[in-house]
Amino acid sequence: MKYWLMKSEPDAFSIDDLQQRPGQTEHWDGVRNYQARNMMRDDMKIGDQVFFYHSNCDSPGIVGIAEVAKEAYPDFTAFDPADKHFDPKSNPDKPTWFMVDLRFVRKLKRAISLQELKLKPELAELALVRRGNRLSIMPVTASQWDFILQLE
DNA sequence: GCCAACGTTGGC
DNA sequence: GCCAACGTTGGC
């Protein structure tokens, strides 16, 4: 089993939104970055654990845990010209973009802010705190995962 | 709202 | 294949 961190803007889709979805499950559409796509398509398996990170908000940080509920399948929002994430280069016969489904696991007892994560030498290698990182999906090692959870 | 850091695009 | 221009991300 692998560990991941996935970013979402809480104004668009928050951990609370995930918790309130039917089955507490939602598809993770709109990823339009090849590195992030490759991780979803090639490496994310059912049961993988995911830190849910709130980005681009007042207090960016890790707010909860989700798990992979369905492995990669074509991101159908890329096929819809009316959709914000429409991509004419992608089509159902040969999709460019993929998504997974996530299921809510739990919220953390407290949010762990980016500010706090940046201070921890144990997390120096975490892509999230590295300069200029903009990846919306990134791997987390087992030791990073355990370390972050014991901060809770 | 600003802007640094990236990724992508397209002319050549 | 280079690289300038442009668009996006996301912290602050």
Side-chain angles (χ1 to χ4, degrees):
Chain A
M1 187 182 69
K2 292 195 173 68
Y3 300 99
W4 306 93
L5 182 147
M6 295 170 79
K7 297 178 182 175
S8 184
E9 300 189 12
D11 288 346
F13 188 72
S14 70
I15 185 79
D16 294 320
D17 293 327
L18 181 62
Q19 185 172 15
Q20 288 159 21
R21 284 292 188 273
Q24 301 190 316
T25 298
E26 182 63 289
H27 55 267
W28 202 263
D29 63 284
V31 172
R32 296 293 179 268
N33 170 282
Y34 286 101
Q35 254 185 291
R37 178 205 66 181
N38 292 348
M39 286 188 272
M40 280 198 300
R41 189 189 58 188
D42 304 334
D43 298 326
M44 292 184 81
K45 302 299 176 196
I46 286 189
D48 281 5
Q49 300 290 294
V50 178
F51 279 135
F52 197 113
Y53 177 89
H54 281 174
S55 69
N56 212 358
C57 57
D58 285 348
S59 179
I62 296 170
V63 293
I65 298 174
E67 65 183 11
V68 176
K70 182 176 178 181
E71 292 175 14
Y73 59 107
D75 182 342
F76 51 78
T77 66
F79 309 143
D80 177 4
D83 194 278
K84 184 184 171 199
H85 299 293
F86 175 61
D87 182 353
K89 293 191 300 301
S90 188
N91 66 75
D93 293 332
K94 198 167 181 288
T96 307
W97 304 114
F98 289 81
M99 58 188 172
V100 298
D101 288 358
L102 291 190
R103 181 183 302 116
F104 177 83
V105 173
R106 67 180 179 89
K107 291 212 260 186
L108 297 190
K109 298 191 207 71
R110 67 179 186 92
I112 301 173
S113 69
L114 176 62
Q115 193 181 14
E116 180 175 355
L117 296 170
K118 278 180 169 172
L119 292 174
K120 305 295 183 187
E122 292 87 347
L123 301 176
E125 300 303 314
L126 182 64
L128 184 73
V129 302
R130 305 204 67 114
R131 199 179 66 125
N133 168 69
R134 286 172 25 190
L135 260 189
S136 62
I137 299 175
M138 67 192 72
V140 175
T141 67
S143 58
Q144 289 165 341
W145 180 274
D146 292 341
F147 178 80
I148 291 169
L149 277 187
Q150 58 85 33
L151 296 173
E152 196 181 355

